[in-house]
PDB file of all heavy atoms in Angstrom:
ATOM      1  N   CYS A   4       4.543  -7.628   0.048  1.00  0.00           N
ATOM      2  CA  CYS A   4       5.270  -6.322  -0.124  1.00  0.00           C
ATOM      3  C   CYS A   4       6.327  -6.329   1.089  1.00  0.00           C
ATOM      4  O   CYS A   4       5.895  -6.354   2.194  1.00  0.00           O
ATOM      5  CB  CYS A   4       4.210  -5.201   0.037  1.00  0.00           C
ATOM      6  SG  CYS A   4       5.015  -3.542   0.080  1.00  0.00           S
ATOM      7  N   ALA A   5       7.551  -6.284   0.648  1.00  0.00           N
ATOM      8  CA  ALA A   5       8.643  -6.373   1.615  1.00  0.00           C
ATOM      9  C   ALA A   5       9.543  -5.111   1.473  1.00  0.00           C
ATOM     10  O   ALA A   5       9.658  -4.610   0.471  1.00  0.00           O
ATOM     11  CB  ALA A   5       9.392  -7.673   1.512  1.00  0.00           C
ATOM     12  N   ALA A   6      10.322  -4.888   2.552  1.00  0.00           N
ATOM     13  CA  ALA A   6      11.345  -3.853   2.519  1.00  0.00           C
ATOM     14  C   ALA A   6      12.415  -4.288   3.428  1.00  0.00           C
ATOM     15  O   ALA A   6      12.356  -5.101   4.314  1.00  0.00           O
ATOM     16  CB  ALA A   6      10.695  -2.509   3.003  1.00  0.00           C
ATOM     17  N   SER A   7      13.599  -3.700   3.134  1.00  0.00           N
ATOM     18  CA  SER A   7      14.808  -3.869   4.082  1.00  0.00           C
ATOM     19  C   SER A   7      15.219  -2.599   4.632  1.00  0.00           C
ATOM     20  O   SER A   7      14.842  -1.478   4.061  1.00  0.00           O
ATOM     21  CB  SER A   7      15.924  -4.487   3.186  1.00  0.00           C
ATOM     22  OG  SER A   7      16.296  -3.701   2.151  1.00  0.00           O
ATOM     23  N   GLU A   8      15.953  -2.606   5.734  1.00  0.00           N
ATOM     24  CA  GLU A   8      16.495  -1.418   6.387  1.00  0.00           C
ATOM     25  C   GLU A   8      15.310  -0.667   7.135  1.00  0.00           C
ATOM     26  O   GLU A   8      15.593  -0.164   8.268  1.00  0.00           O
ATOM     27  CB  GLU A   8      17.186  -0.393   5.449  1.00  0.00           C
ATOM     28  CG  GLU A   8      18.414  -1.192   4.794  1.00  0.00           C
ATOM     29  CD  GLU A   8      19.274  -0.195   4.018  1.00  0.00           C
ATOM     30  OE1 GLU A   8      18.807   1.057   3.902  1.00  0.00           O
ATOM     31  OE2 GLU A   8      20.309  -0.591   3.600  1.00  0.00           O
ATOM     32  N   PHE A   9      14.268  -0.350   6.512  1.00  0.00           N
ATOM     33  CA  PHE A   9      13.121   0.333   7.128  1.00  0.00           C
ATOM     34  C   PHE A   9      12.108  -0.595   7.545  1.00  0.00           C
ATOM     35  O   PHE A   9      11.886  -1.696   6.894  1.00  0.00           O
ATOM     36  CB  PHE A   9      12.546   1.324   6.130  1.00  0.00           C
ATOM     37  CG  PHE A   9      13.407   2.439   5.809  1.00  0.00           C
ATOM     38  CD1 PHE A   9      14.294   2.406   4.744  1.00  0.00           C
ATOM     39  CD2 PHE A   9      13.419   3.647   6.521  1.00  0.00           C
ATOM     40  CE1 PHE A   9      15.169   3.344   4.354  1.00  0.00           C
ATOM     41  CE2 PHE A   9      14.336   4.621   6.156  1.00  0.00           C
ATOM     42  CZ  PHE A   9      15.153   4.470   5.158  1.00  0.00           C
ATOM     43  N   THR A  10      11.342  -0.336   8.700  1.00  0.00           N
ATOM     44  CA  THR A  10      10.319  -1.279   9.139  1.00  0.00           C
ATOM     45  C   THR A  10       8.939  -0.780   8.691  1.00  0.00           C
ATOM     46  O   THR A  10       8.555   0.326   8.849  1.00  0.00           O
ATOM     47  CB  THR A  10      10.298  -1.206  10.671  1.00  0.00           C
ATOM     48  OG1 THR A  10      10.233   0.059  11.221  1.00  0.00           O
ATOM     49  CG2 THR A  10      11.617  -1.867  11.174  1.00  0.00           C
ATOM     50  N   LEU A  11       8.242  -1.667   7.994  1.00  0.00           N
ATOM     51  CA  LEU A  11       6.974  -1.298   7.308  1.00  0.00           C
ATOM     52  C   LEU A  11       5.856  -1.001   8.370  1.00  0.00           C
ATOM     53  O   LEU A  11       4.874  -0.416   7.989  1.00  0.00           O
ATOM     54  CB  LEU A  11       6.574  -2.469   6.430  1.00  0.00           C
ATOM     55  CG  LEU A  11       7.335  -2.592   5.085  1.00  0.00           C
ATOM     56  CD1 LEU A  11       6.717  -3.682   4.208  1.00  0.00           C
ATOM     57  CD2 LEU A  11       7.541  -1.255   4.346  1.00  0.00           C
ATOM     58  N   ASP A  12       6.055  -1.416   9.575  1.00  0.00           N
ATOM     59  CA  ASP A  12       4.903  -1.055  10.576  1.00  0.00           C
ATOM     60  C   ASP A  12       4.917   0.404  10.917  1.00  0.00           C
ATOM     61  O   ASP A  12       3.981   0.827  11.586  1.00  0.00           O
ATOM     62  CB  ASP A  12       5.014  -1.933  11.780  1.00  0.00           C
ATOM     63  CG  ASP A  12       6.405  -1.844  12.603  1.00  0.00           C
ATOM     64  OD1 ASP A  12       7.186  -0.981  12.275  1.00  0.00           O
ATOM     65  OD2 ASP A  12       6.490  -2.585  13.545  1.00  0.00           O
ATOM     66  N   GLU A  13       5.928   1.201  10.382  1.00  0.00           N
ATOM     67  CA  GLU A  13       5.948   2.583  10.596  1.00  0.00           C
ATOM     68  C   GLU A  13       5.343   3.320   9.488  1.00  0.00           C
ATOM     69  O   GLU A  13       5.324   4.521   9.372  1.00  0.00           O
ATOM     70  CB  GLU A  13       7.365   3.082  10.751  1.00  0.00           C
ATOM     71  CG  GLU A  13       8.114   2.486  12.017  1.00  0.00           C
ATOM     72  CD  GLU A  13       9.571   2.951  12.046  1.00  0.00           C
ATOM     73  OE1 GLU A  13      10.122   3.628  11.139  1.00  0.00           O
ATOM     74  OE2 GLU A  13      10.167   2.581  13.102  1.00  0.00           O
ATOM     75  N   TYR A  14       4.747   2.601   8.408  1.00  0.00           N
ATOM     76  CA  TYR A  14       4.202   3.209   7.235  1.00  0.00           C
ATOM     77  C   TYR A  14       2.734   2.623   7.002  1.00  0.00           C
ATOM     78  O   TYR A  14       2.425   1.582   7.336  1.00  0.00           O
ATOM     79  CB  TYR A  14       5.018   2.766   6.074  1.00  0.00           C
ATOM     80  CG  TYR A  14       6.318   3.336   6.018  1.00  0.00           C
ATOM     81  CD1 TYR A  14       7.532   2.715   6.629  1.00  0.00           C
ATOM     82  CD2 TYR A  14       6.698   4.549   5.370  1.00  0.00           C
ATOM     83  CE1 TYR A  14       8.790   3.289   6.581  1.00  0.00           C
ATOM     84  CE2 TYR A  14       7.941   5.019   5.426  1.00  0.00           C
ATOM     85  CZ  TYR A  14       8.980   4.436   5.967  1.00  0.00           C
ATOM     86  OH  TYR A  14      10.237   4.859   5.971  1.00  0.00           O
ATOM     87  N   THR A  15       1.875   3.533   6.557  1.00  0.00           N
ATOM     88  CA  THR A  15       0.672   3.067   5.916  1.00  0.00           C
ATOM     89  C   THR A  15       0.901   2.484   4.616  1.00  0.00           C
ATOM     90  O   THR A  15       1.676   3.057   3.805  1.00  0.00           O
ATOM     91  CB  THR A  15      -0.259   4.304   5.848  1.00  0.00           C
ATOM     92  OG1 THR A  15      -0.678   4.714   7.187  1.00  0.00           O
ATOM     93  CG2 THR A  15      -1.507   3.986   5.065  1.00  0.00           C
ATOM     94  N   ILE A  16       0.354   1.306   4.317  1.00  0.00           N
ATOM     95  CA  ILE A  16       0.677   0.610   3.188  1.00  0.00           C
ATOM     96  C   ILE A  16      -0.642   0.439   2.282  1.00  0.00           C
ATOM     97  O   ILE A  16      -1.648   0.080   2.740  1.00  0.00           O
ATOM     98  CB  ILE A  16       1.196  -0.786   3.425  1.00  0.00           C
ATOM     99  CG1 ILE A  16       2.552  -0.743   4.284  1.00  0.00           C
ATOM    100  CG2 ILE A  16       1.527  -1.578   2.069  1.00  0.00           C
ATOM    101  CD1 ILE A  16       3.592   0.051   3.592  1.00  0.00           C
ATOM    102  N   GLY A  17      -0.533   0.831   1.041  1.00  0.00           N
ATOM    103  CA  GLY A  17      -1.621   0.584   0.134  1.00  0.00           C
ATOM    104  C   GLY A  17      -1.203  -0.254  -0.985  1.00  0.00           C
ATOM    105  O   GLY A  17      -0.212  -0.401  -1.385  1.00  0.00           O
ATOM    106  N   TRP A  18      -2.243  -1.055  -1.459  1.00  0.00           N
ATOM    107  CA  TRP A  18      -2.164  -1.822  -2.720  1.00  0.00           C
ATOM    108  C   TRP A  18      -3.025  -1.120  -3.840  1.00  0.00           C
ATOM    109  O   TRP A  18      -4.141  -0.884  -3.549  1.00  0.00           O
ATOM    110  CB  TRP A  18      -2.643  -3.255  -2.451  1.00  0.00           C
ATOM    111  CG  TRP A  18      -1.621  -4.202  -1.755  1.00  0.00           C
ATOM    112  CD1 TRP A  18      -1.721  -4.478  -0.403  1.00  0.00           C
ATOM    113  CD2 TRP A  18      -0.518  -4.880  -2.292  1.00  0.00           C
ATOM    114  NE1 TRP A  18      -0.642  -5.279  -0.092  1.00  0.00           N
ATOM    115  CE2 TRP A  18       0.074  -5.586  -1.125  1.00  0.00           C
ATOM    116  CE3 TRP A  18       0.015  -4.914  -3.541  1.00  0.00           C
ATOM    117  CZ2 TRP A  18       1.236  -6.347  -1.369  1.00  0.00           C
ATOM    118  CZ3 TRP A  18       1.147  -5.735  -3.689  1.00  0.00           C
ATOM    119  CH2 TRP A  18       1.759  -6.317  -2.595  1.00  0.00           C
ATOM    120  N   PHE A  19      -2.322  -1.018  -4.948  1.00  0.00           N
ATOM    121  CA  PHE A  19      -3.077  -0.437  -6.043  1.00  0.00           C
ATOM    122  C   PHE A  19      -2.845  -1.311  -7.330  1.00  0.00           C
ATOM    123  O   PHE A  19      -1.960  -2.168  -7.260  1.00  0.00           O
ATOM    124  CB  PHE A  19      -2.441   0.928  -6.433  1.00  0.00           C
ATOM    125  CG  PHE A  19      -2.559   1.970  -5.241  1.00  0.00           C
ATOM    126  CD1 PHE A  19      -1.808   1.944  -4.273  1.00  0.00           C
ATOM    127  CD2 PHE A  19      -3.683   2.862  -5.403  1.00  0.00           C
ATOM    128  CE1 PHE A  19      -1.943   2.855  -3.233  1.00  0.00           C
ATOM    129  CE2 PHE A  19      -3.825   3.812  -4.391  1.00  0.00           C
ATOM    130  CZ  PHE A  19      -2.965   3.790  -3.293  1.00  0.00           C
ATOM    131  N   ARG A  20      -3.589  -1.128  -8.237  1.00  0.00           N
ATOM    132  CA  ARG A  20      -3.518  -1.909  -9.454  1.00  0.00           C
ATOM    133  C   ARG A  20      -3.767  -1.131 -10.701  1.00  0.00           C
ATOM    134  O   ARG A  20      -4.524  -0.118 -10.731  1.00  0.00           O
ATOM    135  CB  ARG A  20      -4.426  -3.146  -9.450  1.00  0.00           C
ATOM    136  CG  ARG A  20      -5.902  -2.937  -9.496  1.00  0.00           C
ATOM    137  CD  ARG A  20      -6.691  -4.293  -9.360  1.00  0.00           C
ATOM    138  NE  ARG A  20      -8.177  -4.065  -9.385  1.00  0.00           N
ATOM    139  CZ  ARG A  20      -8.991  -4.918  -9.148  1.00  0.00           C
ATOM    140  NH1 ARG A  20      -8.668  -6.192  -8.712  1.00  0.00           N
ATOM    141  NH2 ARG A  20     -10.395  -4.609  -9.309  1.00  0.00           N
ATOM    142  N   GLN A  21      -3.258  -1.575 -11.886  1.00  0.00           N
ATOM    143  CA  GLN A  21      -3.437  -0.824 -13.085  1.00  0.00           C
ATOM    144  C   GLN A  21      -3.451  -1.875 -14.271  1.00  0.00           C
ATOM    145  O   GLN A  21      -2.549  -2.624 -14.425  1.00  0.00           O
ATOM    146  CB  GLN A  21      -2.389   0.162 -13.394  1.00  0.00           C
ATOM    147  CG  GLN A  21      -2.556   1.040 -14.612  1.00  0.00           C
ATOM    148  CD  GLN A  21      -1.674   2.296 -14.602  1.00  0.00           C
ATOM    149  OE1 GLN A  21      -0.655   2.295 -13.982  1.00  0.00           O
ATOM    150  NE2 GLN A  21      -2.103   3.318 -15.280  1.00  0.00           N
ATOM    151  N   ALA A  22      -4.541  -1.885 -14.868  1.00  0.00           N
ATOM    152  CA  ALA A  22      -4.780  -2.771 -16.018  1.00  0.00           C
ATOM    153  C   ALA A  22      -4.434  -2.010 -17.339  1.00  0.00           C
ATOM    154  O   ALA A  22      -4.411  -0.820 -17.408  1.00  0.00           O
ATOM    155  CB  ALA A  22      -6.180  -3.257 -16.236  1.00  0.00           C
ATOM    156  N   PRO A  23      -4.057  -2.700 -18.400  1.00  0.00           N
ATOM    157  CA  PRO A  23      -3.672  -1.984 -19.642  1.00  0.00           C
ATOM    158  C   PRO A  23      -4.801  -1.078 -20.106  1.00  0.00           C
ATOM    159  O   PRO A  23      -5.973  -1.419 -20.205  1.00  0.00           O
ATOM    160  CB  PRO A  23      -3.413  -3.158 -20.703  1.00  0.00           C
ATOM    161  CG  PRO A  23      -3.192  -4.309 -19.723  1.00  0.00           C
ATOM    162  CD  PRO A  23      -3.862  -4.168 -18.575  1.00  0.00           C
ATOM    163  N   GLY A  24      -4.435   0.215 -20.468  1.00  0.00           N
ATOM    164  CA  GLY A  24      -5.344   1.155 -20.927  1.00  0.00           C
ATOM    165  C   GLY A  24      -6.262   1.699 -19.816  1.00  0.00           C
ATOM    166  O   GLY A  24      -7.081   2.490 -20.152  1.00  0.00           O
ATOM    167  N   LYS A  25      -6.073   1.420 -18.652  1.00  0.00           N
ATOM    168  CA  LYS A  25      -6.883   1.995 -17.631  1.00  0.00           C
ATOM    169  C   LYS A  25      -6.073   2.709 -16.495  1.00  0.00           C
ATOM    170  O   LYS A  25      -4.901   2.519 -16.418  1.00  0.00           O
ATOM    171  CB  LYS A  25      -7.739   0.765 -16.896  1.00  0.00           C
ATOM    172  CG  LYS A  25      -8.729   0.000 -17.829  1.00  0.00           C
ATOM    173  CD  LYS A  25      -9.366  -1.056 -17.188  1.00  0.00           C
ATOM    174  CE  LYS A  25     -10.365  -1.733 -18.072  1.00  0.00           C
ATOM    175  NZ  LYS A  25     -11.160  -2.789 -17.336  1.00  0.00           N
ATOM    176  N   GLU A  26      -6.748   3.531 -15.733  1.00  0.00           N
ATOM    177  CA  GLU A  26      -6.218   4.244 -14.744  1.00  0.00           C
ATOM    178  C   GLU A  26      -5.806   3.415 -13.576  1.00  0.00           C
ATOM    179  O   GLU A  26      -6.513   2.388 -13.236  1.00  0.00           O
ATOM    180  CB  GLU A  26      -6.966   5.402 -14.265  1.00  0.00           C
ATOM    181  CG  GLU A  26      -7.127   6.479 -15.359  1.00  0.00           C
ATOM    182  CD  GLU A  26      -7.911   7.701 -14.950  1.00  0.00           C
ATOM    183  OE1 GLU A  26      -8.617   7.559 -13.869  1.00  0.00           O
ATOM    184  OE2 GLU A  26      -8.041   8.679 -15.646  1.00  0.00           O
ATOM    185  N   ARG A  27      -4.891   3.844 -12.753  1.00  0.00           N
ATOM    186  CA  ARG A  27      -4.543   3.149 -11.576  1.00  0.00           C
ATOM    187  C   ARG A  27      -5.715   3.207 -10.501  1.00  0.00           C
ATOM    188  O   ARG A  27      -6.242   4.431 -10.409  1.00  0.00           O
ATOM    189  CB  ARG A  27      -3.280   3.689 -10.880  1.00  0.00           C
ATOM    190  CG  ARG A  27      -2.679   2.984  -9.676  1.00  0.00           C
ATOM    191  CD  ARG A  27      -1.366   3.654  -9.296  1.00  0.00           C
ATOM    192  NE  ARG A  27      -0.367   3.526 -10.236  1.00  0.00           N
ATOM    193  CZ  ARG A  27       0.741   4.177 -10.234  1.00  0.00           C
ATOM    194  NH1 ARG A  27       1.101   5.013  -9.105  1.00  0.00           N
ATOM    195  NH2 ARG A  27       1.687   4.140 -11.123  1.00  0.00           N
ATOM    196  N   GLU A  28      -6.004   2.204  -9.806  1.00  0.00           N
ATOM    197  CA  GLU A  28      -7.059   2.234  -8.858  1.00  0.00           C
ATOM    198  C   GLU A  28      -6.586   1.667  -7.606  1.00  0.00           C
ATOM    199  O   GLU A  28      -5.694   0.709  -7.523  1.00  0.00           O
ATOM    200  CB  GLU A  28      -8.350   1.465  -9.341  1.00  0.00           C
ATOM    201  CG  GLU A  28      -8.125   0.000  -9.570  1.00  0.00           C
ATOM    202  CD  GLU A  28      -9.430  -0.650  -9.830  1.00  0.00           C
ATOM    203  OE1 GLU A  28     -10.470  -0.198  -9.431  1.00  0.00           O
ATOM    204  OE2 GLU A  28      -9.324  -1.824 -10.432  1.00  0.00           O
ATOM    205  N   GLY A  29      -7.136   2.135  -6.431  1.00  0.00           N
ATOM    206  CA  GLY A  29      -6.739   1.716  -5.089  1.00  0.00           C
ATOM    207  C   GLY A  29      -7.497   0.291  -4.930  1.00  0.00           C
ATOM    208  O   GLY A  29      -8.666   0.138  -5.310  1.00  0.00           O
ATOM    209  N   VAL A  30      -6.911  -0.621  -4.313  1.00  0.00           N
ATOM    210  CA  VAL A  30      -7.420  -1.846  -4.007  1.00  0.00           C
ATOM    211  C   VAL A  30      -7.553  -2.028  -2.424  1.00  0.00           C
ATOM    212  O   VAL A  30      -8.738  -2.527  -2.050  1.00  0.00           O
ATOM    213  CB  VAL A  30      -6.483  -2.989  -4.473  1.00  0.00           C
ATOM    214  CG1 VAL A  30      -7.020  -4.462  -4.116  1.00  0.00           C
ATOM    215  CG2 VAL A  30      -6.274  -2.890  -5.925  1.00  0.00           C
ATOM    216  N   SER A  31      -6.594  -1.852  -1.718  1.00  0.00           N
ATOM    217  CA  SER A  31      -6.747  -2.029  -0.306  1.00  0.00           C
ATOM    218  C   SER A  31      -5.600  -1.199   0.435  1.00  0.00           C
ATOM    219  O   SER A  31      -4.684  -0.897  -0.214  1.00  0.00           O
ATOM    220  CB  SER A  31      -6.538  -3.514   0.064  1.00  0.00           C
ATOM    221  OG  SER A  31      -6.730  -3.619   1.511  1.00  0.00           O
ATOM    222  N   CYS A  32      -5.840  -0.918   1.706  1.00  0.00           N
ATOM    223  CA  CYS A  32      -4.691  -0.358   2.445  1.00  0.00           C
ATOM    224  C   CYS A  32      -4.933  -0.695   4.034  1.00  0.00           C
ATOM    225  O   CYS A  32      -5.960  -1.099   4.418  1.00  0.00           O
ATOM    226  CB  CYS A  32      -4.766   1.291   2.387  1.00  0.00           C
ATOM    227  SG  CYS A  32      -6.080   2.136   3.088  1.00  0.00           S
ATOM    228  N   ILE A  33      -3.806  -0.644   4.682  1.00  0.00           N
ATOM    229  CA  ILE A  33      -3.672  -0.726   6.000  1.00  0.00           C
ATOM    230  C   ILE A  33      -2.908   0.378   6.672  1.00  0.00           C
ATOM    231  O   ILE A  33      -1.767   0.698   6.290  1.00  0.00           O
ATOM    232  CB  ILE A  33      -3.180  -2.170   6.410  1.00  0.00           C
ATOM    233  CG1 ILE A  33      -3.151  -2.354   7.958  1.00  0.00           C
ATOM    234  CG2 ILE A  33      -1.722  -2.334   5.871  1.00  0.00           C
ATOM    235  CD1 ILE A  33      -2.905  -3.850   8.371  1.00  0.00           C
ATOM    236  N   SER A  34      -3.486   1.000   7.696  1.00  0.00           N
ATOM    237  CA  SER A  34      -2.893   2.252   8.202  1.00  0.00           C
ATOM    238  C   SER A  34      -1.562   1.865   9.083  1.00  0.00           C
ATOM    239  O   SER A  34      -1.471   0.687   9.589  1.00  0.00           O
ATOM    240  CB  SER A  34      -3.833   3.040   9.039  1.00  0.00           C
ATOM    241  OG  SER A  34      -4.222   2.386  10.251  1.00  0.00           O
ATOM    242  N   ARG A  35      -0.743   2.850   9.295  1.00  0.00           N
ATOM    243  CA  ARG A  35       0.425   2.691  10.146  1.00  0.00           C
ATOM    244  C   ARG A  35      -0.302   2.349  11.603  1.00  0.00           C
ATOM    245  O   ARG A  35      -1.168   3.050  12.129  1.00  0.00           O
ATOM    246  CB  ARG A  35       1.115   3.953  10.269  1.00  0.00           C
ATOM    247  CG  ARG A  35       2.472   3.859  11.198  1.00  0.00           C
ATOM    248  CD  ARG A  35       3.117   5.259  11.224  1.00  0.00           C
ATOM    249  NE  ARG A  35       2.355   6.006  12.315  1.00  0.00           N
ATOM    250  CZ  ARG A  35       2.256   7.433  12.249  1.00  0.00           C
ATOM    251  NH1 ARG A  35       2.840   8.041  11.234  1.00  0.00           N
ATOM    252  NH2 ARG A  35       1.555   7.967  13.224  1.00  0.00           N
ATOM    253  N   GLY A  36       0.148   1.267  12.146  1.00  0.00           N
ATOM    254  CA  GLY A  36      -0.424   0.855  13.402  1.00  0.00           C
ATOM    255  C   GLY A  36      -1.556  -0.101  13.211  1.00  0.00           C
ATOM    256  O   GLY A  36      -2.025  -0.698  14.299  1.00  0.00           O
ATOM    257  N   GLY A  37      -2.075  -0.263  12.093  1.00  0.00           N
ATOM    258  CA  GLY A  37      -3.229  -1.191  11.817  1.00  0.00           C
ATOM    259  C   GLY A  37      -4.542  -0.734  12.259  1.00  0.00           C
ATOM    260  O   GLY A  37      -5.450  -1.521  12.255  1.00  0.00           O
ATOM    261  N   GLY A  38      -4.740   0.557  12.584  1.00  0.00           N
ATOM    262  CA  GLY A  38      -6.012   1.023  13.185  1.00  0.00           C
ATOM    263  C   GLY A  38      -7.084   1.154  12.122  1.00  0.00           C
ATOM    264  O   GLY A  38      -8.287   1.305  12.435  1.00  0.00           O
ATOM    265  N   SER A  39      -6.632   1.271  10.798  1.00  0.00           N
ATOM    266  CA  SER A  39      -7.653   1.420   9.825  1.00  0.00           C
ATOM    267  C   SER A  39      -7.326   0.559   8.605  1.00  0.00           C
ATOM    268  O   SER A  39      -6.145   0.435   8.102  1.00  0.00           O
ATOM    269  CB  SER A  39      -7.729   2.951   9.317  1.00  0.00           C
ATOM    270  OG  SER A  39      -8.518   3.056   8.201  1.00  0.00           O
ATOM    271  N   ILE A  40      -8.302  -0.253   8.101  1.00  0.00           N
ATOM    272  CA  ILE A  40      -8.175  -1.027   6.926  1.00  0.00           C
ATOM    273  C   ILE A  40      -9.330  -0.831   5.992  1.00  0.00           C
ATOM    274  O   ILE A  40     -10.473  -0.783   6.519  1.00  0.00           O
ATOM    275  CB  ILE A  40      -8.078  -2.522   7.350  1.00  0.00           C
ATOM    276  CG1 ILE A  40      -6.849  -2.925   8.153  1.00  0.00           C
ATOM    277  CG2 ILE A  40      -8.199  -3.460   6.105  1.00  0.00           C
ATOM    278  CD1 ILE A  40      -6.792  -4.285   8.668  1.00  0.00           C
ATOM    279  N   ASN A  41      -9.117  -0.724   4.790  1.00  0.00           N
ATOM    280  CA  ASN A  41     -10.211  -0.576   3.856  1.00  0.00           C
ATOM    281  C   ASN A  41      -9.929  -1.243   2.522  1.00  0.00           C
ATOM    282  O   ASN A  41      -8.816  -1.585   2.254  1.00  0.00           O
ATOM    283  CB  ASN A  41     -10.577   0.914   3.613  1.00  0.00           C
ATOM    284  CG  ASN A  41      -9.548   1.740   3.081  1.00  0.00           C
ATOM    285  OD1 ASN A  41      -8.716   1.342   2.155  1.00  0.00           O
ATOM    286  ND2 ASN A  41      -9.530   3.009   3.490  1.00  0.00           N
TER     287      ASN A  41
END
């Protein structure tokens, strides 16, 4: 997951996924500053 102009270390980043016919679900995330991962 990449970005330009903005620095991603200033954001909490989540990964989500969605399979056909199913609802979006959370997979993983890392907090701004890296203090929390789940």
Side-chain angles (χ1 to χ4, degrees):
C4 176
S7 60
E8 299 186 357
F9 297 88
T10 55
L11 289 184
D12 62 2
E13 297 177 355
Y14 296 86
T15 293
I16 304 297
W18 285 98
F19 298 83
R20 66 186 182 186
Q21 188 165 21
K25 297 183 179 180
E26 295 184 348
R27 185 179 300 172
E28 64 173 337
V30 176
S31 182
C32 71
I33 182 167
S34 67
R35 190 188 75 211
S39 178
I40 294 174
N41 60 38

